[in-house]
């Protein structure tokens, strides 16, 4: 990719360039759809996406009309009952999944538990679960819980026990990997990894927490078996919004959820004492869906469906590249080291920078209104959300980072973790 900034230009000239990029940006008008507080540069949409303005009115309407006036009739009249699958299909549209394969429900953790347990049952005689030592710990915990429940299961981790190619064999049940690394933002090649895994008869389970809304994903085209992901990060659906679970159509008649949920029963309202899973992906639903949390998701999907995804991916490449170049400009002596891949195609929608006092620097930056986050031991993490960020904001964020370094104001901040959510 060609450089965005021209060498040897002044701060003012670079700013003019960023403003020109904003003026030509087809997504610029979408910013108006979100609540973006004055005086803050929000580069943490990879942790909790900004709030769609229209969610407020839609939640109020749901409360007053559907719950208040409609009461129990809204389960059918307001289509509450079908929200997990209707919104699941719409999420599918953003991750390359045809209809009937995605449910919006529960959390990533719970959905991963269901997908891995279903894989264990599908793969009788196999005993090994493979993941990556650097995977998000929540995913590793779920695997450990399953191992402690089923003593024959063993866990092998890439980066501790061997490489992917070494660890996947005829004894492997499934491989669980997060496509975009939550620390450094490196993005795995879904086609290639899925091919290596399935060549040994193992199932491929992708965690798309930092992929959905961040990178172009083609689940059907890649022949993925299961995928999980959340909607509160890049998809702007709000804190604790329903996660999603993709079950490839070819597996749906055989894959069984370990949670025999009555909502996933063939005929929930027959109240039959025997569990009989329904034929579709609905069999992966557990209990009564948390309807209130689906409303902001619906609002956010309306916005996501109004944009051209290719524009989002293009702006993602540009914003992350601009930030990397701008950090180089404002930190010419290289106090910060780039931890993310330089090649846009190899990274997600975040940029990670390393510094031994990273937490103190991030605290000083947040005090100036530039919100990113920190991941131990030394990673300053910045998320780039093309729907809500302008080029000028990205430039300004890098400029503030440069000032925090130049003034050394971060030395007044503690570099010790205090357990707070960042
Ligand atoms: C954010 C994140 C999760 C969170 O899982 P929940 O159970 O929904 O809290 C899981 N995996 C990865 C890779 C994440 O980044």
């Amino acid at each position: 990719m060609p450089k965005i900034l021209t060498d040897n230009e002044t701060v003012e000239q670079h700013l003019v360039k960023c403003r020109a990029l904003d003026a030509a940006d087809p997504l610029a008008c979408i910013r108006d759809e979100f609540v973006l507080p004055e005086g803050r540069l929000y580069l943490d949409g990879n942790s909790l996406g900004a709030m769609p303005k229209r969610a407020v009115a839609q939640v109020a309407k749901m409360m007053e009309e559907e719950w208040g006036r409609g009461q129990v009739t809204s389960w059918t009249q307001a289509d509450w009952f079908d929200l997990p699958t209707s919104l699941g299909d719409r999420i599918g549209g953003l991750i390359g999944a045809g209809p009937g394969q995605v449910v919006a429900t529960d959390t990533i953790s719970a959905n991963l538990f269901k997908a891995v347990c279903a894989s264990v049952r599908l793969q009788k005689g196999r005993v090994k679960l493979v993941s990556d030592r650097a995977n998000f710990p929540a995913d590793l915990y779920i695997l450990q819980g399953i191992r402690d429940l089923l003593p024959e299961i063993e866990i092998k981790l890439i980066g501790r026990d061997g490489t992917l190619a070494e660890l996947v064999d005829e004894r492997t049940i499934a491989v669980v990997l997060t496509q975009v690394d939550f620390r450094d933002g490196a993005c795995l090649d879904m086609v290639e990894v899925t091919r290596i895994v399935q060549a040994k008869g193992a199932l491929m389970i992708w965690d798309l927490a930092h992929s959905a809304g961040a990178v172009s994903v083609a689940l059907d085209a890649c022949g993925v078996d299961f995928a999980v992901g959340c909607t509160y990060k890049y998809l702007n659906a709000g804190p604790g919004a329903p996660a999603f679970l993709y079950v490839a159509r070819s597996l749906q008649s055989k894959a069984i959820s370990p949670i025999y949920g009555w909502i996933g029963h063939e005929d929930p309202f027959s109240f039959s004492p025997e569990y009989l899973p329904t034929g579709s992906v609905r069999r992966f639903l557990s209990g009564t869906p948390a309807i209130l949390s689906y409303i902001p998701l619906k609002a956010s999907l309306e916005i996501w469906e109004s944009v051209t995804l290719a524009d989002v991916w293009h702006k993602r490449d540009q914003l992350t590249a601009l930030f990397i170049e701008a950090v180089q400009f404002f930190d010419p002596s290289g106090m910060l080291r780039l931890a993310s891949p330089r090649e846009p195609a190899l990274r997600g929608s975040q940029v990670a920078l390393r510094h031994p006092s990273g937490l103190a620097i991030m605290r000083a930056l947040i005090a100036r209104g530039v919100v990113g986050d920190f991941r131990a031991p030394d990673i300053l993490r910045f998320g780039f959300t093309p729907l809500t960020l302008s080029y000028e904001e990205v430039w300004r964020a890098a400029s503030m980072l440069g000032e925090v370094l130049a003034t050394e104001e971060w030395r007044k901040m503690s570099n010790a973790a205090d357990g707070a959510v960042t």
Side-chain angles (χ1 to χ4, degrees):
M1 202 175 97
K3 284 186 71 169
I4 295 180
L5 301 176
T6 315
D7 289 340
N8 303 322
E9 293 208 317
T10 63
V11 172
E12 289 70 32
Q13 285 168 319
H14 287 320
L15 195 54
V16 167
K17 178 75 193 277
C18 292
R19 289 189 177 142
L21 288 168
D22 282 324
D25 174 13
L27 297 173
C29 55
I30 298 290
R31 276 165 63 83
D32 262 359
E33 290 282 350
F34 296 90
V35 174
L36 299 168
E38 277 297 309
R40 179 183 292 166
L41 297 178
Y42 194 60
L43 283 81
D44 212 7
N46 52 319
S47 185
L48 178 67
M51 184 179 83
K53 288 178 187 166
R54 63 174 77 193
V56 179
Q58 292 189 16
V59 169
K61 179 168 177 283
M62 180 270 174
M63 299 280 284
E64 286 161 14
E65 291 179 19
E66 298 180 7
W67 181 14
R69 275 192 280 285
Q71 296 175 323
V72 77
T73 62
S74 289
W75 279 107
T76 46
Q77 311 231 309
D79 292 325
W80 288 352
F81 199 69
D82 289 329
L83 282 176
T85 45
S86 63
L87 297 191
D89 281 348
R90 292 170 66 179
I91 293 168
L94 302 175
I95 50 175
Q101 300 175 101
V102 179
V103 278
T105 186
D106 299 330
T107 59
I108 289 187
S109 303
N111 288 332
L112 185 61
F113 180 78
K114 290 184 274 187
V116 175
C117 288
S119 301
V120 171
R121 281 183 70 161
L122 284 169
Q123 299 272 61
K124 289 234 157 41
R126 294 178 177 234
V127 293
K128 193 161 51 162
L129 294 171
V130 174
S131 189
D132 192 314
R133 200 178 80 88
N135 199 350
F136 193 75
D139 295 15
L140 300 179
Y141 301 159
I142 292 300
L143 300 185
Q144 291 162 27
I146 293 169
R147 175 201 59 200
D148 291 350
L149 210 54
L150 302 170
E152 71 276 16
I153 299 284
E154 50 187 81
I155 299 172
K156 294 289 177 196
L157 298 181
I158 299 165
R160 185 190 71 184
D161 305 314
T163 63
L164 175 70
E166 286 162 3
L167 295 177
V168 187
D169 58 24
E170 288 68 27
R171 297 168 67 243
T172 306
I173 296 166
V175 176
V176 177
L177 291 175
T178 298
Q179 188 192 14
V180 177
D181 184 278
F182 77 102
R183 291 188 187 87
D184 63 20
C187 183
L188 294 173
D189 181 339
M190 186 173 281
V191 174
E192 180 62 7
V193 173
T194 304
R195 191 186 60 72
I196 293 171
V197 169
Q198 293 176 341
K200 300 289 182 182
L203 294 168
M204 185 68 227
I205 306 177
W206 284 106
D207 182 335
L208 304 179
H210 297 277
S211 303
V215 298
S216 174
V217 177
L219 290 178
D220 287 349
C222 292
V224 170
D225 297 296
F226 294 94
V228 296
C230 56
T231 63
Y232 54 78
K233 291 174 178 162
Y234 289 97
L235 292 181
N236 308 89
F244 61 84
L245 171 63
Y246 165 91
V247 183
R249 191 178 304 285
S250 58
L251 292 177
Q252 287 176 13
S253 59
K254 311 176 270 192
I256 304 283
S257 171
I259 299 169
Y260 285 10
W262 76 286
I263 298 289
H265 190 278
E266 170 66 13
D267 185 4
F269 293 96
S270 67
F271 299 109
S272 151
E274 294 303 324
Y275 178 69
L276 177 64
T278 193
S280 71
V281 69
R282 276 191 79 91
R283 62 171 53 192
F284 279 88
L285 295 180
S286 313
T288 306
I291 297 303
L292 265 174
S293 68
Y294 286 79
I295 309 304
L297 171 59
K298 195 170 164 185
S300 156
L301 288 171
E302 288 172 6
I303 300 170
W304 274 93
E305 286 163 352
S306 75
V307 302
T308 303
L309 289 179
D311 290 342
V312 180
W313 314 142
H314 173 72
K315 190 173 172 188
R316 182 269 325 274
D317 286 352
Q318 298 270 105
L319 290 178
T320 51
L322 171 63
F323 185 71
I324 293 170
E325 291 178 31
V327 168
Q328 245 163 10
F329 179 86
F330 288 111
D331 173 30
S333 64
M335 283 182 266
L336 299 167
R337 277 196 304 120
L338 179 66
S340 300
R342 228 168 244 288
E343 175 62 43
L346 299 181
R347 63 178 181 246
S349 207
Q350 69 180 67
V351 172
L353 302 170
R354 287 186 197 280
H355 190 285
S357 298
L359 183 52
I361 293 172
M362 184 52 78
R363 284 179 170 144
L365 206 51
I366 291 173
R368 280 175 169 256
V370 181
V371 182
D373 59 23
F374 174 79
R375 288 293 175 264
D378 61 353
I379 286 191
L380 295 112
R381 201 172 65 149
F382 299 92
F384 294 85
T385 48
L387 303 195
T388 62
L389 276 174
S390 68
Y391 290 90
E392 183 174 341
E393 283 182 313
V394 168
W395 170 260
R396 287 191 187 285
S399 152
M400 298 251 221
L401 180 55
E403 279 177 41
V404 164
L405 292 173
T407 59
E408 301 203 352
E409 64 199 55
W410 56 269
R411 292 195 188 274
K412 294 192 285 268
M413 301 285 174
S414 159
N415 197 46
D418 60 6
V421 176
T422 57

